[in-house]
Amino acid sequence: MTAMLLAQAQAQPDAGLRHVAQYSARLSYVCMCLTLCWGVLTATGWVRNITGRKALRGSHLALATLTLAFGGVHALCFLFLSTGALSLAYITIPLFVPGALARHELGIVGFELMLAIALTASLYRFTSYRRWLWLHRLAYLAVGLTAVHSLLGAIANGHLAVDWLIGITLLVPTVTLSVLRFLPVRTLERIGLLEEQV
Ligand code: HEM
């Protein structure tokens, strides 16, 4: 038994690290989708009856922090692989290293956009609300890029069969809420999602 485990460890020297990279990626994906859904629900007040706005905003912030923490661990794991490790420049500066894979670039740009949005989230007191909102709404783009990165990453790793069910289950409400957020009020009233105030 010990000999078998030893042989396995020698055949796949980074198996543990790769598992950490995969599981942190999946957790980050789950938190990312929930952050966006919760953000839309908080901004629109569509769940205000369940709990107060302050609690909603707090959970949106907590989910965003978890997304970045797990996403950061996932990306950093690739620095420590004994074979095929990525360099710090590769995982931090998009389009810098020649031959960088497009699917990796999508993850890097998505992650860095999310980081920028999180870092500027508390600055709304110091700038105009419109400008702050414009920056914060880049989150939709960041989630889109990272979702495509996750799909292509799972395919490249041969994990699509494991990842697709939860991946799509979470993506459906995320996309639906994003679309609803940008629909004009009249359309929402027409389809019965908002009641006209008379
Ligand atoms: C600097 C940022 C990032 C880098 C450099 C990066 C890099 C990678 C790499 C190298 C893979 C392995 C498969 C492949 O070669 O494509 C991968 C897979 C994956 N990444 Fe990322 N990634 C980053 C950010 C993120 C973020 C923020 C998320 C989640 C929200 C994420 C989710 C995933 C998922 C779900 C997989 C598939 C895991 C599996 O095999 O089950 N990545 N990523």
Side-chain angles (χ1 to χ4, degrees):
M1 182 70 179
T2 320
M4 216 171 79
L5 286 174
L6 205 68
Q8 248 178 13
Q10 275 164 357
Q12 297 172 308
D14 294 322
L17 189 58
R18 284 185 187 278
H19 275 108
V20 175
Q22 277 152 21
Y23 285 105
S24 52
R26 291 167 190 175
L27 283 169
S28 178
Y29 179 90
V30 171
C31 294
M32 177 183 78
C33 292
L34 295 177
T35 307
L36 191 141
C37 293
W38 219 237
V40 173
L41 295 176
T42 310
T44 52
W46 287 339
V47 286
R48 214 174 291 166
N49 294 342
I50 300 176
T51 176
R53 203 182 170 110
K54 223 173 173 187
L56 285 173
R57 222 182 254 165
S59 17
H60 174 62
L61 201 85
L63 285 166
T65 310
L66 287 172
T67 306
L68 288 170
F70 286 125
V73 169
H74 162 67
L76 288 174
C77 282
F78 297 105
L79 294 177
F80 303 104
L81 293 174
S82 52
T83 45
L86 304 178
S87 68
L88 187 62
Y90 186 101
I91 67 161
T92 50
I93 316 173
L95 306 174
F96 177 69
V97 178
L101 296 174
R103 66 172 191 273
H104 294 165
E105 303 282 306
L106 291 173
I108 295 164
V109 175
F111 180 77
E112 290 183 352
L113 264 179
M114 288 192 260
L115 195 64
I117 292 160
L119 291 176
T120 52
S122 57
L123 297 181
Y124 64 90
R125 280 193 213 101
F126 306 103
T127 177
S128 76
Y129 181 69
R130 270 181 172 274
R131 201 175 294 166
W132 178 87
L133 190 65
W134 185 87
L135 189 68
H136 211 74
R137 280 190 171 164
L138 286 178
Y140 294 102
L141 174 68
V143 170
L145 295 178
T146 315
V148 176
H149 160 79
S150 304
L151 174 75
L152 299 179
I155 294 172
N157 271 356
H159 291 145
L160 190 63
V162 184
D163 290 352
W164 73 270
L165 184 59
I166 188 80
I168 292 177
T169 306
L170 282 164
L171 204 59
V172 169
T174 308
V175 172
T176 311
L177 282 170
S178 307
V179 171
L180 288 179
R181 178 73 177 116
F182 289 99
L183 281 183
V185 175
R186 279 190 178 281
T187 315
L188 291 174
E189 280 169 357
R190 205 174 326 121
I191 56 180
L193 279 169
L194 273 187
E195 278 178 25
E196 206 173 343
Q197 304 267 335
V198 252

